[in-house]
Amino acid sequence: MKLALILPLVLAGFVGAARAEEADDIREATKAEADTFNARMYAGRPGDKAYACFVRRYDAEHLARHPKQKVASMKLLISAEVDKEDKQLHNSFRLGFRYRHRSGDFDSSGSCNHAVFTKDGTETRLGCGVDCEGGGIGVALSKDDRSAIVRLARVRVWQNNKPDDDAERSLVAGADDGIFRLDRTDTSECASLVTDRKELAALRHK
């Protein structure tokens, strides 16, 4: 995929990346770079289908140190699947979270592409976007691959998995909601993010 096509998704997913001049610091990942990142993300070659789940539940001590943080807990499911038509591996994301001072479960989802940030080295990340200018997230991995680093400026979300205009909201980065470190865990922890029965069965067998 051409960089001109993936760049809007990538830029939407990273804090501070909305300025046009920063596009010079981003390039499309090569196949080798994308394959290396996928192997890290899915703890091995992904094959035709793979999943990676990351979760964080913030305790009272953490929230006390970050009084402006709006998010109380967050789950991230990254999925890879080979498309039957183009035979290429495609990545996507599902994000679920709960607010600190608001009831209900909120979620978002979209497609992802690989990009390399060259300003401070050559770090490969996923730039994930929500359709119809819904913003997005950026996903990097910690050096030991045990955590996902999620960056966002704004991402469209829905409450209780209801894709309608009345339920639609956005999670907007504030003083303490721009970067989240989520810990890798068993994929069953992200089962609540999956609504398709066949996919849920596949997830539980991973």
Side-chain angles (χ1 to χ4, degrees), residues 2 7-8 37 44 52-53 58 79 84 105 108 113 125 139 147 156 158-159 164-165 169 173 175 192 200 202:
K2 298 296 185 181
L7 198 54
F37 184 87
C53 175
Y58 294 97
S79 306
K84 293 181 180 179
D105 295 311
S108 186
N113 290 285
R125 306 176 189 173
V139 182
S147 301
R156 180 182 297 143
W158 290 267
Q159 186 174 10
D164 59 79
D165 292 338
R169 294 175 172 85
S192 61
L200 184 59

Side-chain angles (χ1 to χ4, degrees), residues 28 65 101 144:
E28 185 177 8
R65 294 198 309 268
H101 301 300
D144 61 8

Side-chain angles (χ1 to χ4, degrees), residues 9-10 12-15 37 40-42 52-54 74-79 91-95 111-117 123-129 136-142 147-152 178-180 182 184:
L9 290 178
V10 175
F14 295 91
V15 175
F37 184 87
R40 294 176 60 204
M41 173 63 71
Y42 302 110
C53 175
F54 303 88
M74 181 176 285
K75 295 182 179 182
L76 173 68
L77 179 67
I78 300 293
S79 306
N91 292 276
S92 60
F93 84 98
R94 291 186 179 91
L95 183 73
S111 57
C112 304
N113 290 285
H114 296 87
V116 176
F117 279 62
E123 181 184 29
T124 304
R125 306 176 189 173
L126 285 177
C128 305
I137 63 172
V139 182
L141 288 169
S142 61
S147 301
I149 312 301
V150 179
R151 294 173 171 86
L152 66 88
I179 301 178
F180 300 90
L182 312 181
R184 187 188 292 273

Side-chain angles (χ1 to χ4, degrees), residues 54-93:
F54 303 88
V55 174
R56 182 78 178 270
R57 298 176 180 88
Y58 294 97
D59 58 26
E61 181 181 354
H62 174 95
L63 294 174
R65 294 198 309 268
H66 301 274
K68 295 183 179 180
Q69 181 171 320
K70 294 173 287 188
V71 172
S73 63
M74 181 176 285
K75 295 182 179 182
L76 173 68
L77 179 67
I78 300 293
S79 306
E81 185 171 6
V82 173
D83 186 89
K84 293 181 180 179
E85 294 184 2
D86 65 16
K87 309 300 181 183
Q88 299 297 312
L89 189 72
H90 295 270
N91 292 276
S92 60
F93 84 98

